[in-house]
Every structure is written in C-alpha cells, then in structure tokens.
Amino acid sequence: MTDTATAAIPLADIIADRLTAALAPTHLQVVNDSHHHAGHMGDDGTGESHFTVIVESPAFAGQSRVARQRAVNTALADLIATRIHALAIKARAPGE
C-alpha cells in the first residue's frame, strides 16, 4: 500500500489492523482521543495524534505489564515514530 493510500485510511483502523495481525486479540478497542488534545503540544491538526488502545490477547499470558506494552509498541513502531504522538495502552490476557 502506498503512503498516499495509507493516509486515506483512518489511523485508528490501521492501528487495529496492525494489532490484530501481531497479537490475534480476543478483544480490541482503539479510541481516538485526539479531540481532547486539540491545540495542545503534539496536536498536528489531523485529528489523529492521540489514542487509547484496549487489547486482550492470549499472547499476553504470563507477560509483565512492560512486556505487553513493548509488544504493542513494536507492532506500531513506525506509526509511533511518524504519526502517533501519544498512545495509552491497556493490555491484558484473557480472564484477567
């Protein structure tokens, strides 16, 4: 997919696709919080800069909170470097 084509897709959808591919979640919610930060530092004017991710995955079983956050950050690394200013992560294993 080209950068132009990717830019036309809502960033929340790209985040969801990446996390689905990387973590096979049993529950995934991507919340765009950007409107709460309009005009603040990190607001790039796109309305797609601040997100909360709530993800439940069997891949997180036995992992620490830090390891879970690293897994999410790894799946989204290029987006965090270029398009995501802030990302809140709530990660759990099934049954937690």
Side-chain angles (χ1 to χ4, degrees):
M1 191 175 302
T2 67
D3 288 336
T4 304
T6 302
I9 300 169
L11 189 51
D13 292 346
I14 296 170
I15 293 168
D17 289 347
R18 296 273 185 92
L19 293 177
T20 297
L23 301 170
T26 52
H27 174 79
L28 176 61
Q29 185 177 1
V30 179
V31 180
N32 184 340
D33 297 319
S34 301
H35 63 283
H36 295 297
H37 303 277
H40 296 172
M41 174 85 75
D43 174 29
D44 62 5
T46 65
E48 295 189 312
S49 58
H50 295 70
F51 292 88
T52 297
V53 170
I54 302 164
V55 58
E56 175 183 278
S57 173
F60 295 145
Q63 290 189 347
S64 69
R65 179 183 57 83
V66 172
R68 294 170 184 192
Q69 291 185 350
R70 283 185 183 143
V72 171
N73 286 333
T74 297
L76 303 176
D78 64 316
L79 297 175
I80 292 169
T82 58
R83 296 180 66 187
I84 299 172
H85 175 72
L87 181 66
I89 302 169
K90 298 175 184 175
R92 64 180 182 265
E96 292 183 343

